[in-house]
Structures are given as structure tokens and as C-alpha cells.
Amino acid sequence: MDRALEMIGYDDLCREQASRRGNGNGRRQLGIGFSSYIEACGLAPSAVVGSLGAQAGQWESADVRVHPTGSVTVYTGSSSHGQGHETTFSQIVADRLGVAPEAVEVIHGDTDLVQFGMGTYGSRSAAVGGSAIAGSVDKIIEKGKKIAAHLLEASAEDLEYEDGSFRVAGSPDRALGLGDVALQAYLAHNYPDDLEPGLSATTFYDPANFTYPFGTHVCVVEVDTETGSIELLRYAAVDDVGNVINPMIVDGQLHGGLAQGIGQALWENAVYDDSGQLVSGSLMDYALPKIHNLIPFELDRTTTPCPHNPLGVKGVGEAGAIASPPAVVNAVVDALAPFGVTHIDMPLTPEKVWRAVNAD
Amino acid sequence: MTVSIQLEVNGKPVQAEVEPRRLLVHFLREDLGLTGANIGCETSLCGACTVLVDGSAIKSCTMLAAQADGTAVTTIEGLARNGELHPLQDGFWEKHGLQCGYCTPGMILSANYLLEQNPSPSDEEIREGLKGNICRCTGYHNIVEAVKYAAERMS
Amino acid sequence: MYPAQFDYRRAGSVAEALGLLQEHEDAKLMAGGHSLIPMMKLRLAQPPVVIDIGRLDELKGISEAGGGVRVGSLTTHADIAASDILAASCPVLAEAAGHIGDAQVRNRGTIGGNIAHADPGSDIPPVLVLLGASVHLQSPSGTRSVAAADFFQDLLMTDVGEDEILTHVDVPAQSAGTGSAYLKFEHPASGYAVVGAAASVTVHHGRCTAAALVVGGVGAVPTAVDVSSLIGSDLSDDAIADAASGLDTEDPIGDIFASGDYRVHVGKVYGKRALAAARDRA
């Protein structure tokens, strides 16, 4: 919250608000709204959701295959519909396995190819799906150490894995690249007796706990008290989603979530008539956030790694959508404080706001 | 009945017999296999079906194929040149201007029309110029950045 | 969504279009198609024959004519919004056209199609009524013109006869000392006007000599407000607010976004603001 206050220039805004209120409650009132949140994300420990009545486990699966050439294919049950899994999951493998991101292919969403998985929702893909991938990569490294140790005539315990190479600790010249080890794993000509050929691993990762992203969002609005219409002036968000794998994708997820949440607060409304007919059934009546109604978002973050998953990530998909509706509504209610307004139901359509201003 | 139409699509001549009620977007997608123009809202509001007709951005779900007779149509498939992405395509890539990608072809063609009219638009002009295109993923923040990126490179 | 089946005829001239209209009962004329095609996709309209008049160059364009401006019925909203002639003589029409829909819609939609459809949330009708424009119609038996105020008859109903084609709109040029403005309260989903207020005032030597206010969106047709109380005044904010508060509609339209009462209220507020903006431009 300290950082959010600083970003938004809170003291100046308070002065501006006071001056507008001072002028006999002029027609353009300024409102500042806050929302500080802690989410439970990264769904979820299977035993917990089972105790709550869920009919499925909430683990995620990952099959990581290192090919004889050293390139990698990841089969994940967490499918992407725009969240950038191909990029983020490639990065997880690239960072952990010391290969180029371009050498990693991510396969998802095709049930002919991918093992059972639980999907993308609940800010879980990185925290649960990503952790499953990390688990498989770790298994591959462990197996690779045994193969490399055999080839290098060393003990597996003495091997280190760094930057895509298996090295004998203390003897930097005794090393084998991942590609060499992968090739030998598939040739299996000179190979440990107690090891299966091949270099792939499957992991079903069941998280030990939910993850708990947190943050503070601040929204500044101007309310036209004559008509009840609302204009967004500023929006600042400081989120802690744990370690960040790809900052651009994390920001993009926040932007999209903010639009969803602001839309919910201001416009989106499924309306049924008395006979149960949906009367907001097309975009002629159902208002989505449009580009000219939104503003640039001001983002910052702190980083507190999640303590119980291998990546230290918490998930970011929902942060924007969860934090923004209260921030927006609080801003509007704050603007209307001089009129005695303490609550308005979402969505805050101009007519509802106008009626709230003019309520006795 | 059918109507004979001749038009140019992405620089190539096309001749076809179409039902009068064939919408341009269906003609492009189903008859020509150009599936870049998407069908979103069907009420002329979402802009996913935007293409250029004689250089003007239009919604191809609200135009009959018969009306396009004699015109030159550009779809997203016709924007790259010699394997080189158009600066707008590059901008959407570089600035993460898309997530699911459904709105992107229409968004890029609207932005292309905007930059033809106004080569160096302000943020506000970009937002006004693209108001006929809805995006459900990005919150539009990076779309504005992508258009600015392209505007700089095209100038 | 597909429209129901229909036969398509493309007219090469106004005369040919009139002939086709005679020949085919229940045929519909189509200009840009931006009102008709959505109605046909929803099957709210199922004409057996569509006569495409979109290519009749004789009905396109903006020109100075008889002390005013002639706007051909097939002129697109984009061309109206960008017209130098209108910017000089009737800027409020260009201003309103620039508020219609979005860039893609303005590139296809035409003024003739727009007013013949007569949606109560359309931006053009209140401006034409404000300006005292005349709508010109042609039929096999000749031509006639109708004042814009009489042209809009009811919800989606106009004075266009079944055998007529809307050819052009004549708009009187704005007189010296006149300012005008169109203010729109936009529906967040459809982009139509919940309320659209068109105002003009003429000022000579600090005194108002003419004033008009027409509000769209609150009634089935544009609602003219009697603002004659402003004539002779100095157009003070109070005088303007008082005049705009005269907006009255017997049966205001309402929907799930904005009730009739609320539309009337916003109509008064936007009427006041449009008059003030017109004053500031005079």
C-alpha cells in the first residue's frame, strides 16, 4: 500500500478532492478507492478440495522429454488459451535445464497427445502446472547424472549440473553436455545396468498448499453528479505474485484482469426479465470494456517467493480481476461521500449512480 | 439465385458465384480459406471481422460478398510482405499486444487504417480509432503500445 | 448468422432503382447496409428482394447548393465527418457524424440509410431537425421534399413512401454569429446515443437572436425543446438551464440500461450543456 500511495500521489489527490468538495459540491467529484487483497490461488491440494466436495483431484501433470538431439518437448495438462504457457513453460525448462528457450516445444490442449490434466484456471498454471514441469526436469537431471557418471566413470553424487552440462565437482574438464547424455540415453550402448534407456520424466504435482498472492490497488475516478456517469482517471496496482517468470506476460495478465474487473464494476450486466428471458443477450446490450473507456494501467510489484513450490511462483491470472471491482466501487462511493452515499450495487451504471446521489 | 463477383483479395484476382445472402466474412473464410477474419459478435460491434475494402476498414460481417464485387480486399493474410511481418504485426508481437489472438487480425487492420489516416496518433487518438474493436484479454494497454511501436517504425 | 434468402438486384441509376422498386413488391433498398443487414441477420427483416443502390454515384457527395449544403444520401458518415464544406457551413452535422459507431461503421454507413432507418438512438436525426434540413425524395411520379421535423414519424418510421428513394438532404448554412454543438451520452454497449443533444444559438452584440435545441434518444423521434425564452437574453448559465429544463416527452423510451425518466433527466442536462457549448462557439 505504501508503494501504491506513492505511485498515485495520494496527498495531492486528497487536496484536489477537498477543493472540489469545498466548492459547494460541484458536479465533478473526485473519488479515490482502495482494495487490498490476499487471494488463495494455485488450485489446489487435492485432499483439501476433496474434503470440500470436489469430484476431482487438483494436481497437474507434466511429461518432459529430452530428445536424442538435446531438444525438449513438454506435454502439459495445463492448456493455454492466451496466457502464454508456450513462453512461460519454455522458460521454466530453459532456466532449469540450461537450454535455449527455442529448443523447448510445449504441447497442450490436444487429448490425442497429452496425458490427463486439470487445466488452466484459478491462477494455477505456473504454480501447479509449472511446478509439475520443474519436477520432471529435476527427475531428468537426476537420471542424466547417473548416465553421465557412468560415462565419466565418476560417482553420480559427485556430479553437478550447470548451464546444460554435467560436470564432476572439482574437475571442470570432466564434463558432458545434455545433448551428449541424451544421445547416449537413447543409444544405451554404454549404459548403467540398473537404468532404463531414454530421457523423459512424468510428474503429477499435487501442491502442498494454496498460494497467496497479495497486493493493493488504487483507482481514481471522476463522477459527474448531474448524470451519474463515471470517468476513470488513474489506476495503480502493486501486486506480489511471487517470483516472476516472464514480466511482460505477468503484466499482460494483470492488464486483462483489470479490464475484466473494471468491466464488472462499471458495465457488465446479465439482465433477465420476469419470465427468465436474457435481455442482455448480445453486445448491443451487454457492455464489455472498450478501448476508449479504459486507461493506461500503472503497475509495480514486490516479490515474495512462494515457500512451498519449487518455482516460488503464486499465479497472477486473477489478481487484476479480483482486486479491481472493490477499488472501482470504493472510488465511486468515495467521490459521493458528500452526498451520503455508502453503497451502490454493481454494475455502477450512470442511472444507479444518479439515483444514489439523489436518494433522500 | 447467385451473383457473379470479381474482386481482388490480397492482390490476387478472385472470381466467384455467391448466394446473395453470403456475407463477405463467410466468403473470405469458407470460400477462400482466409480464416484470419474472425466472426465474433454478429452485431457489427466487436470488430473481429474487420478487413480493408479499397483501403477502408470495414466489418465484413455486415457486408454482402455481392457488395464487394469490383473492390480490392485486404485481410490479415495479405499484410506481411515477402515473409517480413508488417510493422503492426511486429508491434503486436514485440509489445505483447495479444493474448488469445481472436481480436488481433481485426485490431491490426483497424490500426492499419488508423495509421493511414493519422501516421502519428496520440494515445487518445489510438483509443478513439480502435473503439470498434473489442479485446477481452489484454485490457488494451499493450495494444496501444503496439500501435505506437508500429507508428514509429512506419514513419 | 445468415439472412434469409433473397434476390439481389444492383441498380445502375436512380431511374433503374425506382423501376426495380415498382417491379418487386416488398423489396428493400440497401445503401451501405449497416441498418438493413443487421436486421436481416436477426431475421427481423426478410425482404424477398434487396435492391443495392450503393454504387449510384449520383447520390454521393457533399456540395454547396443554394446558400446551403447538399449531402447526397449515399454519402458515408466518414465523408460527412471529414467534410471541409460542412466544417465551414454546418459543423454540427460533421460533429454528429463523427460520433456514429466507430471508424468501420462510419466507412460503410450512409446518411440516407441512417435516417431512412430512423433509429431513436441515431446521432443524425436530431441534428437535421435542429438545422431545419429538408429531405428530398424521388418517385416515378416526381420529386418532393420534406422538412426533417416532419420526416421522422415514429419509432423506425419515416415519411419515405414505398415507391420512393431518398436522394439527398439539403442543410441551410449556419448564419453569422451562430454556434452549434452536438453532445452525446453514449450507450456503453451499442454505441448508440442514450441521449444526443443538438443545439445552436445565434448571438448579435451580446444578445441571443435565435436558439434551438433538439434532443434524440428520449422519444421515438427527435424532440424539439422550446428555448425561445433565450431570445433576447445574454445566454447566462441560468437562462440556458431554465430553457433546457423544458424538455418534455409524453412517452419517453427506456431500456435495461436507462429508464425513460432518466433519459429525460439526462436530456435536460445534455441540452443545457449543448446550449452552453454552442454559446461558447458563437
Side-chain angles (χ1 to χ4, degrees):
Chain A
M1 176 171 282
D2 290 342
R3 177 70 187 119
L5 291 176
E6 185 186 312
M7 283 165 69
I8 208 84
Y10 184 60
D11 293 340
D12 289 346
L13 284 171
C14 288
R15 276 190 285 277
E16 170 68 18
Q17 182 183 56
S19 103
R20 294 197 192 194
R21 286 180 181 177
N23 281 329
N25 289 339
R27 74 175 172 88
R28 292 193 184 280
Q29 289 294 318
L30 194 73
I32 311 157
F34 292 86
S35 157
S36 289
Y37 73 95
I38 300 174
E39 282 187 89
C41 293
L43 273 62
S46 295
V48 174
V49 296
S51 73
L52 295 172
Q55 300 291 307
Q58 292 280 316
W59 43 266
E60 192 51 80
S61 68
D63 185 2
V64 177
R65 298 181 198 167
V66 180
H67 301 293
T69 56
S71 68
V72 182
T73 302
V74 177
Y75 298 84
T76 171
S78 174
S79 65
S80 173
H81 34 287
Q83 296 88 352
H85 292 29
E86 294 90 343
T87 304
T88 303
F89 287 171
S90 297
Q91 280 184 253
I92 291 172
V93 173
D95 284 356
R96 225 170 172 84
L97 205 53
V99 297
E102 304 85 73
V104 184
E105 185 186 14
V106 177
I107 309 280
H108 63 81
D110 184 344
T111 50
D112 270 356
L113 299 172
V114 177
Q115 70 285 1
F116 205 53
M118 300 313 295
T120 295
Y121 50 88
S123 305
R124 71 191 299 274
S125 289
V128 189
S131 292
I133 292 169
S136 287
V137 170
D138 291 349
K139 289 175 187 171
I140 284 166
I141 291 170
E142 284 314 303
K143 184 172 182 182
K145 280 183 181 173
K146 289 178 188 167
I147 301 167
H150 179 84
L151 295 167
L152 293 166
E153 297 178 349
S155 161
E157 289 81 58
D158 293 339
L159 284 192
E160 292 168 345
Y161 187 70
E162 209 183 321
D163 296 334
S165 287
F166 296 92
R167 294 193 177 88
V168 179
S171 308
D173 53 332
R174 293 175 67 199
L176 280 173
L178 177 67
D180 299 326
V181 171
L183 181 60
Q184 294 307 320
Y186 289 97
L187 290 173
H189 294 165
N190 176 13
Y191 205 68
D193 292 337
D194 56 349
L195 211 58
E196 289 176 11
L199 196 55
S200 70
T202 299
T203 300
F204 284 73
Y205 176 82
D206 199 353
N209 196 347
F210 294 89
T211 62
Y212 298 96
F214 61 89
T216 291
H217 289 205
V218 190
C219 178
V220 183
V221 299
E222 185 176 86
V223 181
D224 180 338
T225 56
E226 263 187 323
T227 62
S229 48
I230 296 161
E231 189 184 349
L232 294 168
L233 298 182
R234 300 270 304 278
Y235 198 101
V238 182
D239 297 279
D240 192 319
V241 298
N243 287 335
V244 168
I245 297 167
N246 185 305
M248 197 179 239
I249 285 179
V250 164
D251 285 351
Q253 289 289 297
L254 280 161
H255 294 153
L258 291 174
Q260 295 269 342
I262 293 168
Q264 186 184 349
L266 295 182
W267 301 297
E268 299 189 32
N269 201 9
V271 182
Y272 294 86
D273 69 12
D274 292 340
S275 58
Q277 173 75 26
L278 179 66
V279 290
S280 55
S282 83
L283 295 189
M284 287 295 284
D285 292 299
Y286 187 92
L288 293 172
K290 295 187 186 176
I291 189 167
H292 63 299
N293 294 326
L294 291 180
I295 53 174
F297 303 119
E298 303 162 50
L299 305 184
D300 200 2
R301 64 175 71 93
T302 60
T303 302
T304 311
C306 173
H308 62 74
N309 68 43
L311 299 170
V313 298
K314 299 179 187 169
V316 66
E318 296 157 300
I322 282 174
S324 52
V328 173
V329 175
N330 286 340
V332 173
V333 170
D334 180 52
L336 301 179
F339 300 88
V341 175
T342 56
H343 172 81
I344 308 172
D345 282 338
M346 296 191 297
L348 306 179
T349 63
E351 179 164 0
K352 277 195 219 169
V353 172
W354 172 70
R355 291 194 185 280
V357 168
N358 290 288
D360 292 329
Chain B
M1 75 177 285
T2 60
V3 183
S4 284
I5 58 171
Q6 283 185 33
L7 62 162
E8 194 184 288
V9 179
N10 298 329
K12 293 186 192 115
V14 173
Q15 195 166 1
E17 296 285 323
V18 295
E19 247 194 307
R21 62 173 174 168
R22 193 96 172 129
L23 298 169
L24 178 58
V25 69
H26 290 129
F27 175 69
L28 292 171
R29 290 177 58 85
E30 292 165 22
D31 295 351
L32 304 186
L34 297 170
T35 53
N38 286 320
I39 299 170
C41 68
E42 294 274 23
T43 48
S44 324
L45 285 164
C46 80
C49 65
T50 300
V51 299
L52 304 179
V53 172
D54 291 335
S56 289
I58 64 98
K59 293 181 177 174
S60 62
C61 79
T62 312
M63 183 167 178
L64 304 175
Q67 287 177 291
D69 183 25
T71 66
V73 176
T74 305
T75 71
I76 191 73
E77 289 90 344
L79 224 50
R81 286 271 172 275
N82 307 320
E84 190 103 342
L85 290 182
H86 186 278
L88 275 162
Q89 293 173 306
D90 195 32
F92 274 68
W93 177 300
E94 286 297 328
K95 295 292 177 182
H96 189 36
L98 68 148
Q99 290 179 28
C100 86
Y102 202 81
C103 74
T104 312
M107 201 63 90
I108 286 179
L109 289 164
S110 282
N112 189 64
Y113 175 72
L114 169 70
L115 295 181
E116 291 277 327
Q117 308 276 307
N118 180 358
S120 49
S122 66
D123 284 25
E124 201 177 325
E125 286 167 337
I126 292 171
R127 286 180 184 269
E128 190 57 33
L130 298 181
K131 74 184 272 195
N133 294 75
I134 293 177
C135 171
R136 194 52 155 155
C137 297
T138 64
Y140 306 105
H141 183 109
N142 286 343
I143 288 176
V144 176
E145 296 302 314
V147 175
K148 280 155 66 177
Y149 174 98
E152 268 173 34
R153 266 147 197 81
M154 288 164 76
S155 64
Chain C
M1 288 182 286
Y2 284 90
Q5 284 187 329
F6 58 88
D7 282 351
Y8 174 86
R9 296 279 185 278
R10 187 182 297 151
S13 66
V14 173
E16 189 187 348
L18 288 170
L20 287 166
L21 259 185
Q22 292 278 77
E23 204 177 309
H24 301 283
E25 207 182 337
D26 297 329
K28 273 279 186 189
L29 295 170
M30 182 171 70
H34 269 48
S35 300
L36 184 59
I37 293 175
M39 299 275 282
M40 289 170 64
K41 285 165 73 177
L42 293 166
R43 311 266 171 131
L44 294 172
Q46 300 193 24
V49 178
V50 169
I51 303 166
D52 184 354
I53 55 170
R55 289 164 197 246
L56 302 182
D57 286 339
E58 55 197 297
L59 300 183
K60 289 179 188 170
I62 299 164
S63 56
E64 292 176 41
V69 180
R70 174 159 299 183
V71 184
S73 57
L74 291 180
T75 312
T76 63
H77 305 310
D79 286 342
I80 292 171
S83 161
D84 291 335
I85 294 175
L86 285 171
S89 315
C90 328
V92 68
L93 181 57
E95 185 180 14
H99 278 288
I100 292 174
D102 50 56
Q104 297 99 306
V105 168
R106 292 193 293 272
N107 281 336
R108 291 291 301 164
T110 65
I111 187 169
N114 179 295
I115 64 176
H117 181 61
D119 192 290
S122 174
D123 300 291
I124 298 294
V127 174
L128 295 185
V129 175
L130 174 90
L131 295 171
S134 56
V135 180
H136 294 257
L137 303 159
Q138 190 172 336
S139 70
S141 51
T143 61
R144 68 185 179 109
S145 77
V146 192
D150 301 323
F151 178 80
F152 302 102
Q153 295 182 330
D154 204 342
L155 198 72
L156 307 179
M157 281 180 59
T158 68
D159 192 32
V160 183
E162 281 185 3
D163 60 347
E164 287 182 314
I165 288 179
L166 200 166
T167 55
H168 60 276
V169 176
D170 278 340
V171 189
Q174 187 171 288
S175 60
T178 300
S180 55
Y182 176 74
L183 286 189
K184 177 177 186 174
F185 189 95
E186 187 177 297
H187 192 291
S190 69
Y192 277 94
V194 173
V195 164
S200 72
V201 296
T202 307
V203 180
H204 281 299
H205 307 298
R207 291 282 150 190
C208 174
T209 57
L213 172 64
V214 181
V215 180
V218 296
V221 298
T223 308
V225 184
D226 179 3
V227 291
S228 55
S229 64
L230 291 174
I231 294 171
S233 81
D234 61 354
L235 293 171
S236 68
D237 288 345
D238 285 346
I240 281 175
D242 191 50
S245 69
L247 171 66
D248 191 19
T249 305
E250 253 180 41
D251 192 15
I253 51 175
D255 63 7
I256 57 172
F257 177 71
S259 69
D261 289 351
Y262 176 69
R263 284 171 190 255
V264 171
H265 166 74
V266 174
K268 290 174 183 175
V269 173
Y270 270 59
K272 173 179 79 175
R273 292 180 188 175
L275 282 167
R279 172 196 64 199
D280 296 343
R281 292 173 183 178

